[in-house]
Amino acid sequence: MKLFFGKKKETTPKDAIIGLRENLSMLEKRQAHLQNQIDQAVQTARANVTKNRKAAIAALKRKQQLEAQLDKLTASRMTLEAQAMAIEGANVNLETMKAMQKGAEALKGIHKDLSIDKVDQTMDDIRDQMDLANDISDAISRPEIFGVNLDDDELNAELEILEQEELDKQLLKAAKAPEFLPNAPTA
């Protein structure tokens, strides 16, 4: 038969799930039909319980047979639903795996030209260039180049003289001397 019809088409997960859902829909309709028949059998049994005992017993037997069929259909539905969920879960796993494989391939492509030695060398080059940039910045910002040699101690002494002069000016401008002076430190 394969010679005439060719290779059998492989069922995709989507096709399988669609087929299972269609079958489940058909089973639901069948269950609803059986439930209607059961309800009718119960009505027939109640209607004949006092009038026609044989008809009531026959209706109850029919009800039992229909309930047995309904139980089988319910079990079949549960099996199909479990299978549909398993296929859906497997399909999600498959798609996740495909995505992970693509990610791994992308990472391989990114890292094919990289090695830890190359990264270390690049980081060393960056550090060297940063050190060089700092040295250049320090050299440019030194005032000695222009003949100005500033000493921090001299600058601090000059700053103290300016502060004292400013305090003296403020005291001379005061209208009257303060009535309360704080105690001078002893140490």
Side-chain angles (χ1 to χ4, degrees), residues 2-141:
K2 285 186 180 181
L3 291 174
F4 296 108
F5 297 108
K7 202 174 197 183
K8 183 179 177 184
K9 183 181 174 190
E10 191 173 311
T11 303
T12 66
K14 183 179 178 181
D15 293 339
I17 291 170
I18 289 171
L20 288 170
R21 295 286 178 220
E22 288 173 353
N23 202 326
L24 282 168
S25 176
M26 185 263 311
L27 288 177
E28 285 176 25
K29 290 175 186 175
R30 179 73 179 142
Q31 279 181 307
H33 177 70
L34 285 175
Q35 188 60 51
N36 284 338
Q37 287 182 331
I38 290 169
D39 293 342
Q40 286 176 356
V42 169
Q43 285 177 352
T44 303
R46 285 187 182 167
N48 290 314
V49 82
T50 54
K51 300 176 192 172
N52 186 351
R53 195 162 167 79
K54 283 185 180 184
I57 290 175
L60 288 177
K61 283 182 182 180
R62 178 163 168 74
K63 175 190 156 256
Q64 284 181 346
Q65 290 173 342
L66 292 170
E67 284 176 339
Q69 284 184 358
L70 185 62
D71 289 344
K72 288 179 184 177
L73 280 178
T74 301
S76 295
R77 264 190 74 198
M78 291 177 70
T79 302
L80 290 179
E81 287 173 353
Q83 188 176 15
M85 285 190 277
I87 292 171
E88 288 170 349
N91 194 38
V92 167
N93 291 341
L94 175 66
E95 294 302 320
T96 301
M97 189 63 192
K98 285 179 183 178
M100 290 171 63
Q101 285 173 336
K102 286 180 183 178
E105 289 171 11
L107 282 172
K108 283 180 187 176
I110 291 168
H111 291 136
K112 74 178 178 182
D113 294 330
L114 290 178
S115 69
I116 193 67
D117 294 333
K118 286 182 180 180
V119 172
D120 285 341
Q121 181 60 45
T122 301
M123 294 307 293
D124 288 342
D125 291 345
I126 290 171
R127 279 190 219 79
D128 290 344
Q129 292 303 312
M130 292 298 292
D131 289 342
L132 179 61
N134 287 335
D135 291 345
I136 291 170
S137 178
D138 289 345
I140 290 173
S141 65

Side-chain angles (χ1 to χ4, degrees), residues 126-186:
I126 290 171
R127 279 190 219 79
D128 290 344
Q129 292 303 312
M130 292 298 292
D131 289 342
L132 179 61
N134 287 335
D135 291 345
I136 291 170
S137 178
D138 289 345
I140 290 173
S141 65
R142 273 190 235 131
E144 300 106 35
I145 296 172
F146 302 107
V148 179
N149 190 6
L150 301 177
D151 183 13
D152 286 342
D153 293 334
E154 288 178 22
L155 291 175
N156 286 332
E158 189 176 340
L159 181 62
E160 284 181 27
I161 291 170
L162 290 174
E163 285 176 344
Q164 188 59 47
E165 287 175 2
E166 185 62 33
L167 285 173
D168 290 344
K169 283 181 188 177
Q170 288 179 1
L171 285 175
L172 289 175
K173 288 182 183 177
K176 65 177 188 173
E179 294 177 19
F180 172 76
L181 293 175
N183 294 336
T186 58

